[in-house]
Amino acid sequence: MQRLAFSAVVLALGTVVPAGAYAQAAPGRTYNTVIEKLARGEPVIGGTIDTPDPDTYCAVANAGFDFTWIEMQHSALTYSEVEDMIWACRGAPAIPFIRVPDATEGDIQKATDIGALGIIIPMVDDVQKIRNAVTFAHYPPLGKRSQGGGRYGALWGNDYRATANDNVMIVAMIESPAGVAIAREIANEPGVDAVFAASSDLSSFSARRQGDPEYEALVSVIKDETLAAGRVLGGPLAWLGSRPEDGYLFFQGPGAGALIRTGARATLEDSDPCRFLPPGTAPVPGEDPCEE
Amino acid sequence: MQRLAFSAVVLALGTVVPAGAYAQAAPGRTYNTVIEKLARGEPVIGGTIDTPDPDTYCAVANAGFDFTWIEMQHSALTYSEVEDMIWACRGAPAIPFIRVPDATEGDIQKATDIGALGIIIPMVDDVQKIRNAVTFAHYPPLGKRSQGGGRYGALWGNDYRATANDNVMIVAMIESPAGVAIAREIANEPGVDAVFAASSDLSSFSARRQGDPEYEALVSVIKDETLAAGRVLGGPLAWLGSRPEDGYLFFQGPGAGALIRTGARATLEDSDPCRFLPPGTAPVPGEDPCEE
Amino acid sequence: MQRLAFSAVVLALGTVVPAGAYAQAAPGRTYNTVIEKLARGEPVIGGTIDTPDPDTYCAVANAGFDFTWIEMQHSALTYSEVEDMIWACRGAPAIPFIRVPDATEGDIQKATDIGALGIIIPMVDDVQKIRNAVTFAHYPPLGKRSQGGGRYGALWGNDYRATANDNVMIVAMIESPAGVAIAREIANEPGVDAVFAASSDLSSFSARRQGDPEYEALVSVIKDETLAAGRVLGGPLAWLGSRPEDGYLFFQGPGAGALIRTGARATLEDSDPCRFLPPGTAPVPGEDPCEE
Amino acid sequence: MQRLAFSAVVLALGTVVPAGAYAQAAPGRTYNTVIEKLARGEPVIGGTIDTPDPDTYCAVANAGFDFTWIEMQHSALTYSEVEDMIWACRGAPAIPFIRVPDATEGDIQKATDIGALGIIIPMVDDVQKIRNAVTFAHYPPLGKRSQGGGRYGALWGNDYRATANDNVMIVAMIESPAGVAIAREIANEPGVDAVFAASSDLSSFSARRQGDPEYEALVSVIKDETLAAGRVLGGPLAWLGSRPEDGYLFFQGPGAGALIRTGARATLEDSDPCRFLPPGTAPVPGEDPCEE
Amino acid sequence: MQRLAFSAVVLALGTVVPAGAYAQAAPGRTYNTVIEKLARGEPVIGGTIDTPDPDTYCAVANAGFDFTWIEMQHSALTYSEVEDMIWACRGAPAIPFIRVPDATEGDIQKATDIGALGIIIPMVDDVQKIRNAVTFAHYPPLGKRSQGGGRYGALWGNDYRATANDNVMIVAMIESPAGVAIAREIANEPGVDAVFAASSDLSSFSARRQGDPEYEALVSVIKDETLAAGRVLGGPLAWLGSRPEDGYLFFQGPGAGALIRTGARATLEDSDPCRFLPPGTAPVPGEDPCEE
Amino acid sequence: MQRLAFSAVVLALGTVVPAGAYAQAAPGRTYNTVIEKLARGEPVIGGTIDTPDPDTYCAVANAGFDFTWIEMQHSALTYSEVEDMIWACRGAPAIPFIRVPDATEGDIQKATDIGALGIIIPMVDDVQKIRNAVTFAHYPPLGKRSQGGGRYGALWGNDYRATANDNVMIVAMIESPAGVAIAREIANEPGVDAVFAASSDLSSFSARRQGDPEYEALVSVIKDETLAAGRVLGGPLAWLGSRPEDGYLFFQGPGAGALIRTGARATLEDSDPCRFLPPGTAPVPGEDPCEE
């Protein structure tokens, strides 16, 4: 897999301009490094956070991911807990993105106030939903976001009011056939920066698994409409390796629990090569150092 | 490295009887699987916990470790937080061990009440300190542990009062030359099940690093006295591989943060082989797929 | 009062099929024991929870109730707190039901993700509200519930995705004359398993007390429409004894605070029979052992 | 600035009747002292709370403010946290007002259940939004507020159900040109007690600063329509001094952080007059006691 | 059982003077109602608290108990949690007593600072331990308690410094044969107000159950020495009924969990008389209304 | 009051060398700015923290104080809460100092691990107590502080192990006549950097108020011995102004609650000059603008 591949796709499609389809004349400072990487055609990967622990958050945010995918749809995290995590780990390289539970004014207000630079909207099957998200996530004149207290200034600088509209990304997730049916409208809605093809709910809704032609046809629509609209295409991390030519650039990676399991397995096998061997298996053919 | 090796060492030293040098005539049921593994001469490894998050705790406790090393000396964890973690993750294979901040009556009482089956005493440089730990951690007639409410019964069974003395392990850490000076008394103190040679503080106190003869001489005293007393010998996880013939069986492994870093690196490299390459480096000699 | 009575009523009305009016062809495993009891015509009683304490939750969930009525409309409980309580007390006989504050996508998503098997919708005076609840609480093809992380699998089994639609009950509360006016539509809405006649708000809205003919007429409409639709009828616990022939099967019982008061009174009177006597009252006529 | 001034304005406009434009025939007991003060034409000032600490809350609530402006739009405070603060500080002179994140049924229900006597609705640019707030904040027959458990009774008395409609104030904030455009409808909506001209968002939306004629024209519309409707007029605290003749009576004051800074400066300068002097400045002309 | 009985015993033993054996010349205001009741010879009963929930605390503190027995020896409660509970429920009739984990300066300081008016010292088997408790719990000149911030003033009045020594009770628990051996010294130590014969640990230490002559002999020593010293005698609540002539006045009652179970059983049986019947049992002989 | 005055006193007494009486040959980097200021003879003032709120902490730490006096003797703050506050506000100008509840190994370990650079020991009336504090607060060879995980490195730099002994200050508080009696030993104990004359407990213990000759004689002993030993002298903030010639340099300032009150008073008076006037009082003689 070559980085070139991504750029090639990107170039073929014209310029990828995240947060730009909606941007104002004189773009300001960019501190959302995810936007910069995507603009260069590089893939970005988010580590998933679904537990309210600042130390765990920081471990993920400093582990090599480009952003944190703070999961508030399928977790019970409160904004108060998420605020503490983002703040405790300010300065980490991963940019905070929040998958909000819904696109209400309250959700988007709080997510942006506490400093998220990415808002991921689940289950978009209605244009009004993503339009609301865009509206509440951007300051006037682009949207109707309210100004007021928050951590954003201490996190991102005193010019936040002037620069936020260029740094807050909107990611629309299409997770059902009803969403696929309006994929073109979603992808072309001003202010939508990326469209994410969600594999798991798409299976649940379509009752088809990955690889099934019916399932793949749904995914193709999302992919084609997104790229045709010049937006960033997102999907599960497995597709970074398995669909390298498809133009996916924005990926959701594993959560802290899965990372701990992977890390523990590596650590324990390294320390004690016999630890996880099933009985009767020799790590090196012909020898079995793990049996007495 | 062979499992045989451990057993051989153990057999050479006589029977390893954790929690038994102090045990009553008719030993009861054993639910501390660490004791069972040690009795079979198998190494045990603990995953370190220093953050108050039940989900993170559970991820570690289910990741393949034999026990959790709940760090209360060098963390600000409260017993209330630790109680919630152990309870939330009841049934996980890793047995909860707590490194207490001190060997006071209150510390040991709370650590055992919330269900720890291992008490790790740091900085033992005084026989009275470890004697207090043994006394407060065991019910009469062996010790002076008070009965009362707690989670232990729901965690370990209705026969807890009758079986706890056989299931609660005491680990004494020797971390300074003053402690080394009384290593023989510590190792032979009734009720001490294991002695741990702490590498980091021992360096700090001795101003010598691992490998330095003076440092190694201190470690040798701990090792020799512990094995001579028929107790379990403990140390940092790196020594499992590097000192395989020395008889170490009880190891402190990495914490959640380190496991996340290790797991993230493995995941990200697997997804994107070029992610961590320094500029100009090709993963396969002769090809550089990471450059456009 | 005889259990027979309930069954007689039930039989007279045809089969009570909770979670079934909406069910798929091949129903799966049932782990919501409330559904099983109701199917047998047995009354079910919920202990109310309105405080975020896992120990208190567990005490209620193990005290003999069939379900817990986790009160999120008239309390400030967060989903994070409720998740911890349900998880800390997994395995208790009472099944978790949540009265949600509203029927938004976010509310229903979180309530089901954290493992509630009953969703109680307050203040239904609009068919769309209960229809949303049904939609967001059921997986496709019945509804639009999103899949994703959550505690449900660890709580209810690996077949949760396949069985959840048969185990999640929807209870619609009619609490106002406006709701009574559409009681027939509510009771007949597919996916509604039970209809609850709420006594207190119905008084507040109608400005009539129980017993007043106008009030009773409202209750009768709810009762008649619910039973005619073959749905389970719910009401306050007092009606279990006072309206035994009316077909009520689903009851809200007291909260932890009231149970503590009742329990304390019983305990204290048992310990000291004179404790609560008003001055000058003798527990046995003619003697006053409580005065010196 | 004279208190007379306020009364004069008030008298000129006819009676200010907060919570009364919507009130029932026989008004009950008033315990919302903000309403009483406003009825007397006195200005009321709220201390802003945006951090979840009961001690800090109490310090503000006892510091001389008339009410607390509990900020839930631009903070991540949960209702659970706010409930604890109000309860911990019951009896303090400042009356709890909550700026809710949105005017949903759930928001208003929780805000009133935990004992707020003022509901401040941000970003009103749609009559339905303020109408919902009024409906959910008032008991029948005026509104559709649900009865049920809560702290309100312990805070405000056993007659709360009968008196709440006369004691819960509704404050509508107009923060955008779209809101200004419907200022007359907002001010005349039954149940709206006060209208607040929000300076900061109005600047953000209009891209004009205070003093700019365009900005001031917007403010004038709000002011004129509010006073014409006989409602209370609100604004930022700075306007108490700077616009004394304009009829503003309801003010948002600084938050705890700003008060701490002000208090620290006063304390430190009082203790050490040289503490904040820039180099070369003498507190008294001609002497420089701060240099050695 | 008659209240007279208690008084008779009390009178026979001379005056019970809790908090008085150590008191200053001019005793101040008494707000510890437990002291007043004991002085009148009335039994006092404490409801046990071992979970950090203010609502549950308040339910217990308002349920008819004379004091709350806040359990910090056999629970993981932090002083921060206990402070919140006492404060949230200020004004409740039950007086807060804390069983501290140990008699350290820190424990006693925090327990008294947060407003406890009773300090219960577990496991007294050493005179120095109870002497420390007395010293740290009383202001000079009686002890060495430090003054400083705390909730005590807001809870108990501005004269707290002058009156605390007369209102803070010290209860020494004798729970082992070693404690029994010094029962006389404990009971006669100045500043000890009550001595508690702990049944459960006494069994654990003596390996004898209640009723066993050896066990009863230990209890008799505690009882006799306590009464001979003119101190209040305490024990488990069951002894209020079962040992009415023995002079016990200070009792530990059940915890919130047990009260919930008792309350639920009463409530559920009252609502549905057949609920807890074993199969084949009729509540009234000859009829079985619980079978269909 | 002149800064010169302080320096003059300091010079007269010889060099003030905080953290230096015990320092190693080659002192490292100094990041404890309190030490630097004291070395220059400048007074340092701490803002008191007794509530577990990071935002409130940050407000105090950024308000102009030289250090934060984190109060853990007379509050129920846990180390977990304090850790979060220090971390959330890293980078603030005020250096974190903790008044520990006691000088146990656990207290000092946790206070230093979470990053405090000052340890304030209350109630020193025993040389062993302050000696323990010095021992546990310093790394070998000066003391016996254990190394291990903690926030200190992320807060103060990678050279923390090498530099901590030069940056952690020890402040001994003398609060009783017993402490005064050993003031010379305390002040001359190696590793003690400052001695604090505590006014409030000294009154409580001596039963004398400030100004009383007996009280002042006690204070003079502390002052004289401290200055004679070349240590920094500390006391309540009021003494900065009232005893300028006495050589006090280290002061405890007010807490957040008091600062809020002061700040609110200033703010409210500024906004509304009539707010706090007693009836009949005119702010300017001869006019009464506050009456209608």
Side-chain angles (χ1 to χ4, degrees), chain F residues 114-139:
Chain F
I114 64 181
L117 295 184
I119 308 292
I120 304 167
I121 314 292
M123 301 294 273
V124 182
D125 59 1
D126 169 2
V127 175
Q128 192 57 49
K129 191 177 190 176
I130 192 68
R131 198 169 287 158
N132 284 347
V134 170
T135 297
F136 295 131
H138 291 89
Y139 285 122

Side-chain angles (χ1 to χ4, degrees), chain C residues 83-255:
Chain C
E83 179 182 45
D84 285 350
M85 294 196 288
I86 294 176
W87 181 247
C89 205
R90 59 189 184 275
I95 299 292
F97 277 57
I98 295 178
R99 174 150 74 162
V100 290
D102 202 348
T104 67
E105 183 169 354
D107 281 309
I108 309 278
Q109 181 74 67
K110 288 186 187 304
T112 50
D113 272 0
I114 64 181
L117 294 185
I119 306 293
I120 304 168
I121 314 292
M123 301 294 274
V124 182
D125 58 2
D126 169 359
V127 174
Q128 192 56 48
K129 190 176 190 179
I130 193 69
R131 199 169 286 157
N132 284 348
V134 169
T135 297
F136 295 130
H138 291 89
Y139 285 121
L142 299 187
K144 292 171 53 178
R145 177 175 172 191
S146 168
Q147 238 186 322
R151 293 273 163 81
Y152 46 78
L155 289 166
W156 305 118
N158 289 333
D159 59 349
Y160 180 83
R161 170 64 183 85
T163 55
N165 281 357
D166 290 325
N167 280 280
V168 173
M169 271 186 73
I170 300 293
V171 181
M173 298 187 72
I174 297 182
E175 318 194 42
S176 67
V180 173
I182 55 165
R184 182 171 301 180
E185 290 160 87
I186 294 171
N188 285 282
E189 177 68 23
V192 171
D193 297 300
V195 179
F196 193 100
S199 73
S200 146
D201 259 315
L202 207 50
S203 288
S204 174
F205 273 84
S206 66
R208 293 289 182 279
R209 292 176 167 277
Q210 279 188 39
D212 180 287
E214 211 170 302
Y215 177 93
E216 294 298 331
L218 292 168
V219 168
S220 288
V221 173
I222 301 172
K223 181 184 65 135
D224 294 346
E225 295 294 354
T226 303
L227 297 177
R231 295 311 199 283
V232 171
L233 181 63
L237 181 55
W239 294 4
L240 172 54
S242 66
R243 304 180 178 210
E245 307 301 318
D246 280 9
Y248 288 92
L249 284 180
F250 183 95
F251 299 99
Q252 179 181 19

Side-chain angles (χ1 to χ4, degrees), chain F residues 148-175:
Chain F
R151 293 272 165 82
Y152 46 79
L155 289 166
W156 306 118
N158 288 333
D159 60 348
Y160 180 83
R161 171 63 183 84
T163 55
N165 281 358
D166 291 325
N167 281 279
V168 173
M169 272 187 73
I170 301 293
V171 182
M173 298 186 74
I174 298 183
E175 318 194 40

Side-chain angles (χ1 to χ4, degrees), chain D residues 12-37:
Chain D
L13 294 164
T15 315
V16 169
V17 191
Y22 202 58
Q24 292 169 278
R29 191 169 60 88
T30 303
Y31 35 83
N32 185 340
T33 53
V34 167
I35 291 178
E36 293 177 322
K37 291 173 188 171

